[in-house]
Amino acid sequence: LGKSIAKDKIVIEELERTLIEADFGVQITMDIIEAVKKSPDKKSAIEEIKKYLINILELPEKEERSETKPYVVMFVGVNGVGKTTTIAKMANIELKNGNDASLVAGDTFRAAAIEQLTIWSERLKIPIFKGEYGADPASIAYRAISESKGENRIILIDTAGRLHTNKNLMMEMEKIVRVLKKIDDKYPNEILIVLDASIGQNNIQQAKQFMVYVPLTGIVMTKLDGTAKGGSIFPIVRDLKIPVKYIGTGEGIDDISPFSSEEFVNTLFP
Amino acid sequence: NIQNSFSKIFRKWRSKGKLTEEDLDRGLLEIKNALLEADVNYDVVKEFIEGVKESAEGEEILYALNPGQMIVKIVFDELVKILGKAKKEIYFKGNPAVIMLLGLQGSGKTTTAGKLARFLTKKNRKTMLVPADTRRPGAVEQLKQIAEQAGVGFYKPDTDNPVEIARKAPKVAYIEGYDTVIIDTQGRLHVDDKLMQELKKMIKVAKPSEKLFVADGMTGQDAVKIAETFNNNLDITGVILTKMDGDARGGAALSIFSVTKKPIKLIGVGEKLSDIEQFYPDRIASRILG
Ligand SMILES: Nc1nc2c(ncn2[C@@H]2O[C@H](COP(=O)(O)OP(=O)(O)OP(=O)(O)O)[C@@H](O)[C@H]2O)c(=O)[nH]1
Ligand SMILES: Nc1nc2c(ncn2[C@@H]2O[C@H](COP(=O)(O)OP(=O)(O)OP(=O)(O)O)[C@@H](O)[C@H]2O)c(=O)[nH]1
Ligand SMILES: [Mg+2]
Ligand SMILES: [Mg+2]
């Protein structure tokens, strides 16, 4: 007759607190506790939880990068999450991998958005496509990609921050994708949603709603150098099956790492 | 909405005649989950539910005709009562009066600086915007463009030392006839000691009558740790919650106020400079309750 934590209210509450405080959210926390309640003690329950979480995060590996020339990566997300900074970091990774990269200033709305990305392109010494403020971002992206036809380079498209509750802005984003598909149905090769680790349950709504308008291929979670744990990623990966590609850990060009599910899960239970 | 999510439990209550202590606890559990789903911090929820339980027991809810409705009303009233203490006006002292905006990266400080400047201009104040973020690429240019849009003054920094900017700008503003200075600062983590020290130095030389913590309305459980650290280090005078035009429930409002006891002065509701409004406790309360 084994003992189990199911009867131990204190351990259950401690596990619940750890998960809730990490922004997991109520529903998945209950699912996780239910899955591990037969564990004999807290230590083994945590080991079971880690396995459960890694299982959620490990999605089947996507195939190699498609051979399109150029290769197009588009970045989307709500306001202030770190899209523009992440693009600079990812362009730098491409350069370090020996690839050519160009930036597209697709935020034609926010004050100094084009200047901000331009400064990054100057620091990285890479080309940037830009247009006028108020121009249609779809037309800027279209021009950038068609002018780069046949080039062996990565093109990173910045877009304006937008709340998923703003239908017009969601449709503007959808149009960028639709217009690029006229050049090649494979475009954009990747659509990455940038999520801020300090945001709570709304991250789930963001991912779900953005997915309705554009086929997200990956997630970048930023600001994990803060104290937030980013637990909202689990319901998102579990339900939408979008892989986490990178995590942002600061404001500098090198403050980015490829996502490791083991490292991420171990940080939740130090 | 809250009525619908609790209706299952409360409908069962109606057919019961008299509630047991256990029934009440089940109802409170539903409320606890609703608040956690709204991003209210775990400990803040615990404390809040205990307060509600005391009121509920006092109100003889166990014998009430419609206990479900009663408990929802108790929760709503309790939320409004707590958040109501959070409502206060902007405080101007000094000539010029200095307002400093501070907070985490990307929370909306620079945009809010413009909104606040425009808001105060409508109240006949003569405002100068001061760009003390000299590190983020394009930050000074961003505030400059916002100052033009808002039709307010703009301080041109002659150094990239934020403490020097904070020290000099109010003097220049005074000479140029401005009665209000809004200092925009670099986003910084509450756990970045060096940058928190920098902010302390800026406060020392600028002597702001308002140190406003600008927080993203969608912030999750970490809102408590973040706000507490800013408040303990800097003694903030108020909070501005941004991006409340989204569908985040806004539990961060309750978390931040509970832990700092500092007033929520304004709410950001969009990207335009006119998208700022007063903080209405009852509106935020019903939003948190979903
Ligand atoms: N600490 C920390 N700050 C970050 C990280 N990523 C971005 N930031 C900061 O977050 C702030 C916003 O970054 P941006 O790149 O402008 O964000 P954005 O999503 O492009 O913003 P909008 O275009 O206005 O929607 C800046 O101050 C960045 O330096 C990160 O991983 N950690
Ligand atoms: N929808 C919405 N967007 C907002 C609101 N306030 C600010 N923003 C947007 O949020 C993003 C970040 O705003 P900023 O003013 O650059 O934020 P910040 O705090 O100055 O950022 P850092 O200086 O990097 O720390 C921009 O895209 C703004 O337009 C708001 O109330 N609603
Ligand atoms: Mg941007
Ligand atoms: Mg700023």
Side-chain angles (χ1 to χ4, degrees):
Chain A
L1 248 297
K3 62 176 174 147
S4 88
I5 60 169
K7 300 274 164 51
D8 190 336
K9 278 183 137 202
I10 296 197
V11 170
I12 296 289
E13 153 131 9
E14 285 174 356
L15 292 175
E16 173 187 86
R17 169 191 286 276
T18 300
L19 295 171
I20 293 287
E21 286 186 340
D23 282 315
F24 274 68
V26 172
Q27 193 52 56
I28 197 170
T29 293
M30 301 207 284
D31 294 344
I32 292 169
I33 304 260
E34 183 65 23
V36 307
K37 67 181 182 187
K38 295 210 179 69
S39 304
D41 53 42
K42 186 175 183 190
K43 195 153 173 285
S44 53
I46 288 179
E47 285 313 307
E48 282 308 301
I49 292 176
K50 285 187 185 179
K51 290 201 198 110
Y52 184 99
L53 296 181
I54 289 182
N55 195 27
I56 290 177
L57 295 176
E58 314 258 76
L59 295 174
E61 268 300 319
K62 277 264 142 60
E63 340 74 20
E64 286 298 318
R65 261 187 185 176
S66 154
E67 291 282 314
T68 59
K69 293 185 169 56
Y71 184 87
V72 180
V73 185
M74 179 175 164
F75 292 77
V76 300
V78 305
N79 309 73
V81 295
K83 298 176 293 302
T84 304
T85 311
T86 297
I87 286 171
K89 294 173 183 177
M90 297 214 25
N92 189 44
I93 289 177
E94 296 298 336
L95 298 180
K96 292 207 281 188
N97 287 342
N99 295 323
D100 286 332
S102 300
L103 305 182
V104 178
D107 180 353
T108 56
F109 170 75
R110 203 208 71 208
I114 300 176
E115 287 88 334
Q116 181 186 7
L117 192 65
T118 301
I119 291 173
W120 282 115
S121 73
E122 288 168 352
R123 288 181 183 179
L124 294 171
K125 302 199 176 51
I126 58 180
I128 180 168
F129 291 89
K130 42 186 164 170
E132 299 292 319
Y133 277 101
D136 180 0
S139 67
I140 301 189
Y142 186 87
R143 178 169 53 84
I145 306 311
S146 34
E147 284 183 15
S148 312
K149 201 162 183 338
E151 289 181 29
N152 190 10
R153 65 176 50 242
I154 322 285
I155 305 226
L156 302 107
I157 303 176
D158 192 10
T159 64
R162 70 200 67 227
L163 292 185
H164 49 289
T165 46
N166 187 321
K167 183 146 197 260
N168 288 337
L169 291 183
M170 298 308 281
M171 288 175 40
E172 174 193 87
M173 171 182 65
E174 182 180 48
K175 182 178 175 194
I176 300 174
V177 174
R178 197 169 62 240
V179 155
L180 292 184
K181 292 220 174 289
K182 292 196 186 136
I183 302 177
D184 189 317
D185 193 56
K186 295 203 187 70
Y187 288 155
N189 301 84
E190 296 182 40
I191 302 176
L192 303 180
I193 183 168
V194 181
L195 298 173
D196 181 332
S198 67
I199 300 302
Q201 296 307 291
N202 200 252
N203 273 344
I204 302 170
Q205 270 316 305
Q206 292 173 24
K208 286 201 172 132
Q209 289 305 314
F210 271 75
M211 193 66 156
V212 168
Y213 288 89
V214 299
L216 302 175
T217 63
I219 295 167
V220 177
M221 182 165 258
T222 60
K223 308 183 194 172
L224 281 162
D225 46 320
T227 47
K229 296 283 165 58
S232 59
I233 206 72
F234 291 98
I236 294 172
V237 178
R238 181 180 70 170
D239 300 340
L240 300 181
K241 305 275 187 279
I242 314 168
V244 186
K245 297 293 211 176
Y246 288 90
I247 59 169
T249 56
E251 302 191 70
I253 196 75
D254 291 316
D255 293 329
I256 185 165
S257 335
F259 183 72
S260 149
S261 24
E262 282 217 350
E263 282 181 36
F264 192 76
V265 169
N266 283 328
T267 321
L268 291 167
F269 301 98
Chain B
N1 72 35
I2 193 182
Q3 296 283 357
N4 292 340
S5 56
F6 302 149
S7 61
K8 283 202 273 89
I9 289 217
F10 297 159
R11 209 176 304 135
K12 275 222 239 105
W13 285 7
R14 251 220 190 89
S15 58
K16 271 188 154 242
K18 172 180 172 297
L19 290 190
T20 62
E21 181 84 22
E22 194 179 80
D23 290 326
L24 178 61
D25 282 342
R26 286 206 57 216
L28 291 176
L29 181 61
E30 284 301 309
I31 307 250
K32 169 190 166 193
N33 288 341
L35 292 174
L36 289 177
E37 282 167 3
D39 289 322
V40 182
N41 174 270
Y42 191 86
D43 286 323
V44 174
V45 170
K46 259 188 137 201
E47 192 178 342
F48 179 81
I49 294 291
E50 279 167 19
V52 165
K53 184 164 186 182
E54 279 178 28
S55 310
E57 284 167 350
E59 301 249 350
E60 313 229 323
I61 201 166
L62 303 176
Y63 295 94
L65 268 175
N66 196 337
Q69 234 171 51
M70 243 184 110
I71 206 169
V72 170
K73 179 153 188 343
I74 289 176
V75 170
F76 181 78
D77 288 350
E78 189 71 8
L79 257 181
V80 174
K81 178 157 145 271
I82 294 174
L83 292 173
K85 300 200 178 90
K87 187 166 161 55
K88 272 240 180 71
E89 298 290 318
I90 301 265
Y91 177 60
F92 302 98
K93 178 158 177 260
N95 192 13
V98 177
I99 299 171
M100 192 176 275
L101 301 185
L102 39 104
L104 252 45
Q105 291 90 345
S107 64
K109 299 175 291 302
T110 305
T111 311
T112 300
K115 291 178 182 180
L116 193 52
R118 178 185 171 282
F119 180 79
L120 296 180
T121 299
K122 296 188 137 220
K123 302 203 163 189
N124 292 320
R125 298 200 66 98
K126 194 150 179 285
T127 303
M128 171 187 252
L129 286 175
V130 177
D133 177 356
T134 53
R135 290 197 193 93
R136 170 174 148 155
V140 174
E141 177 64 21
Q142 183 185 6
L143 193 66
K144 176 164 174 281
Q145 290 182 14
I146 284 173
E148 282 165 31
Q149 286 172 31
V152 299
F154 179 74
Y155 175 80
K156 282 199 178 63
D158 59 0
T159 163
D160 59 8
N161 180 338
V163 179
E164 277 307 291
I165 294 172
R167 191 179 62 77
K168 289 184 189 172
K171 302 192 212 277
V172 171
Y174 175 72
I175 292 170
E176 299 191 0
Y178 292 96
D179 60 18
T180 312
V181 166
I182 299 174
I183 302 180
D184 178 28
T185 67
Q186 172 185 358
R188 68 202 66 219
L189 290 179
H190 50 302
V191 290
D192 188 327
D193 292 330
K194 203 150 166 274
L195 284 183
M196 293 303 275
Q197 281 308 318
E198 175 186 90
L199 209 41
K200 281 186 191 163
K201 289 196 197 125
M202 292 170 73
I203 288 167
K204 201 152 181 252
V205 299
K207 304 185 188 56
S209 56
E210 286 281 7
K211 293 169 273 186
L212 300 177
F213 175 57
V214 179
D216 194 318
M218 308 183 273
T219 308
Q221 294 288 312
D222 218 34
V224 160
K225 200 176 289 147
I226 300 167
E228 196 169 43
T229 309
F230 270 91
N231 192 37
N232 289 347
N233 275 292
L234 311 169
D235 191 19
I236 63 179
T237 58
V239 178
I240 298 182
L241 276 186
T242 62
K243 308 180 201 170
M244 294 296 275
D245 44 316
D247 58 1
R249 299 264 292 277
L254 181 61
S255 299
I256 293 173
F257 180 68
S258 301
V259 76
T260 63
K261 299 287 188 273
K262 298 293 166 70
I264 299 175
K265 304 228 170 177
L266 292 161
I267 304 277
V269 291
E271 294 194 76
K272 301 197 297 301
L273 296 190
S274 51
D275 291 328
I276 190 166
E277 52 184 51
Q278 300 283 355
F279 167 66
Y280 294 109
D282 53 343
R283 282 192 205 168
I284 299 295
S286 54
R287 175 181 182 142
I288 290 176
L289 290 178

